[in-house]
Amino acid sequence: MNWKRIGQTIKQNGKSGNMSFFNIYRGKKVLITGHTGFKGSWLAIWLKELGADVYGYALAPYSEMDNFVTCRLSDEIHHMEGDVRDGEKLKNYFHKIKPDFAFHLAAQPLVLLSYQDPIGTFETNLMGTVNFFEAVRATPSVKAAVNVTTDKCYDNKEWVWGYRENDPMGGKDPYSASKGCSELITGSYQESFFKKEGTCNIASARAGNVIGGGDWAADRIIPDYFRAVKADSKLEIRNPYATRPWQHVLEPLSGYLNLGAELFLKGKIFSGGWNFGPEDTSNYSVKELIDQILLIDPRGGYHIPEGIDKLHEAVLLKLDISKAVNFLKWKPLLSFKETVHFTWKGYQQDIQQNGTTYNSRVEQIKEYSLKAIEKGINWAQ
């Protein structure tokens, strides 16, 4: 598959040209905080392939297995090592680059780690957000900025319907609370500094539990499973019946790119919070997720321990994506089975470590983009 074929498919379907955000980012400077992380590295790859001039600001990757390392992204994009808690350094980098777009993905992203390091979690996720918007505010070249948070920003009552963008922020654990605060900070900056015409257009993006090749973070179910497979051992599942809005990493990234494009093209009517998640019927339990992987590849396995003390983690969590579907014309493309297969395929590349990881990520992006075209989805129109 190649981009030429994708363009030909669009013409065959009667579309006027490439999907808009493919053209909007071409030749533009895009700055990503957290580009060494899981989602940030995938976003950097996609933007690079769309013809953007990509700049990253982040901490060093955690391990040699991280997507940033295995894809050799330091050879593909501009890389600046830095901490978002260092506001002056971040602002100076913005001033030097003068980006057109900015995506904020730098964060402490783990629930369990937030119990071990609540101070670091709050410092990174709160002041990192403040420093990001201060840098945006001081850089007139930035026309669109997106703060990426999480579905866990909501005050989770564990009810059966999905949370809407105007539901209250909250969070029982430090991670969730910090992300709720990050959303409140975004709203404050919108009202205080970015509401008037002529200023940058900003928004926040809230996604579900994102999975896919290249994620080797600790205490996440999919990385833990594939670590167990590599070690020829069985995974211990601590919350087997907890349900989550599982989605492949490309699903929310398409939403972020679409949102950034609309902010750039149409302005402040697209400011505010946006949910990106699977269809309402696509919430599955942790156990169902692992069982689906085992249907693809019977290697590995799991066991469910009894009587262990567990730190609080939500059991039920869903997002209402009606706003994104109706106003952004975005929707998820992959079924649960396709999501799991895309994920499994990505981890096979990670495990093989044959030096072609970047190319395999690009091929998955192409495959995903072709699915969008074949389903008649033309983002950002």
Side-chain angles (χ1 to χ4, degrees):
M1 278 181 285
N2 55 45
W3 294 115
K4 183 177 180 182
R5 178 189 168 191
I6 290 175
Q8 291 171 341
T9 305
I10 293 171
K11 291 179 181 178
Q12 291 167 3
N13 290 346
K15 303 298 180 182
S16 60
N18 271 345
M19 287 179 282
S20 289
F21 70 63
F22 288 178
N23 294 321
I24 288 165
Y25 293 104
R26 183 172 297 280
K28 300 291 196 308
K29 291 182 178 180
V30 184
L31 193 154
I32 304 169
T33 68
H35 67 291
T36 57
F38 169 48
K39 282 200 292 184
S41 58
W42 272 93
L43 180 60
I45 293 168
W46 200 338
L47 282 163
K48 170 73 163 47
E49 292 302 308
L50 298 179
D53 195 7
V54 183
Y55 295 81
Y57 179 97
L59 296 174
Y62 288 107
S63 76
E64 292 301 308
M65 289 296 292
D66 285 5
N67 198 45
F68 178 85
V69 177
T70 59
C71 290
R72 299 173 183 171
L73 265 183
S74 59
D75 296 331
E76 302 290 339
I77 67 170
H78 307 278
H79 167 58
M80 166 65 77
E81 193 169 306
D83 193 322
V84 290
R85 291 174 291 185
D86 187 341
E88 197 62 29
K89 184 175 181 178
L90 180 61
K91 189 181 293 185
N92 288 339
Y93 192 56
F94 266 78
H95 179 73
K96 176 183 177 182
I97 302 307
K98 296 179 175 56
D100 303 287
F101 293 87
F103 291 89
H104 181 48
L105 287 87
Q108 192 298 93
L110 301 173
V111 172
L112 294 184
L113 181 57
S114 76
Y115 283 105
Q116 300 166 20
D117 184 17
I119 294 174
T121 298
F122 281 111
E123 285 179 343
T124 300
N125 294 352
L126 273 68
M127 287 311 301
T129 303
V130 170
N131 290 337
F132 172 76
F133 282 122
E134 281 295 298
V136 169
R137 194 157 73 97
T139 312
S141 64
V142 184
K143 299 300 185 292
V146 178
N147 177 28
V148 175
T149 65
T150 172
D151 56 349
K152 297 174 184 64
C153 67
Y154 292 105
D155 183 14
N156 189 9
K157 306 295 185 184
E158 303 205 19
W159 51 39
V160 295
W161 52 86
Y163 291 93
R164 295 181 177 179
E165 286 83 351
N166 57 356
D167 281 326
M169 298 294 104
K172 295 181 176 65
D173 59 87
Y175 168 74
S176 301
S178 74
K179 285 302 192 175
C181 289
S182 180
E183 286 285 351
L184 294 175
I185 290 166
T186 306
S188 174
Y189 268 79
Q190 168 64 20
E191 291 297 317
S192 301
F193 305 113
F194 296 112
K195 195 171 185 178
K196 62 183 180 181
E197 291 302 320
T199 56
C200 179
N201 303 314
I202 72 169
S204 64
R206 306 155 188 176
N209 280 56
V210 178
I211 58 179
D215 182 11
W216 291 95
D219 298 316
R220 280 184 178 157
I221 187 65
I222 293 296
D224 285 349
Y225 173 78
F226 283 103
R227 270 190 287 267
V229 170
K230 286 182 66 178
D232 195 25
S233 62
K234 290 188 176 183
L235 173 68
E236 179 181 290
I237 301 180
R238 60 178 180 265
N239 288 308
Y241 302 108
T243 68
R244 294 288 184 272
W246 310 106
Q247 54 188 153
H248 188 267
V249 62
L250 294 179
E251 299 271 46
L253 292 190
S254 70
Y256 306 162
L257 289 168
N258 191 15
L259 178 57
E262 294 289 30
L263 287 168
F264 188 88
L265 286 173
K266 300 174 185 176
K268 300 192 185 302
I269 59 172
F270 286 93
S271 293
W274 297 85
N275 289 340
F276 298 102
E279 300 286 358
D280 186 60
T281 56
S282 293
N283 267 39
Y284 290 84
S285 72
V286 171
K287 183 178 182 300
E288 289 172 317
L289 177 69
I290 301 302
D291 285 341
Q292 185 62 44
I293 297 175
L294 289 169
L295 290 176
I296 300 170
D297 186 346
R299 295 176 298 170
Y302 62 86
H303 68 97
I304 303 171
E306 296 182 1
I308 60 171
D309 292 328
K310 295 181 290 187
L311 296 171
H312 176 268
E313 289 186 86
V315 174
L316 181 63
L317 182 58
K318 296 173 69 176
L319 291 176
D320 184 321
I321 60 172
S322 302
K323 181 181 175 183
V325 170
N326 289 309
F327 294 102
L328 282 176
K329 307 305 179 187
W330 172 92
K331 66 178 181 179
L333 301 179
L334 304 177
S335 67
F336 178 63
K337 289 183 179 180
E338 288 173 324
T339 295
V340 174
H341 190 267
F342 262 56
T343 299
W344 173 84
K345 190 174 179 181
Y347 276 97
Q348 300 318 296
Q349 179 66 40
D350 288 352
I351 292 170
Q352 291 168 12
Q353 284 290 299
N354 60 8
T356 62
T357 306
Y358 183 93
N359 293 336
S360 73
R361 303 300 192 231
V362 172
E363 286 304 310
Q364 282 208 317
I365 292 169
K366 291 175 182 176
E367 185 178 354
Y368 178 81
S369 300
L370 191 57
K371 281 182 178 292
I373 296 161
E374 290 171 345
K375 291 185 177 183
I377 297 172
N378 202 16
W379 290 306
Q381 290 297 306

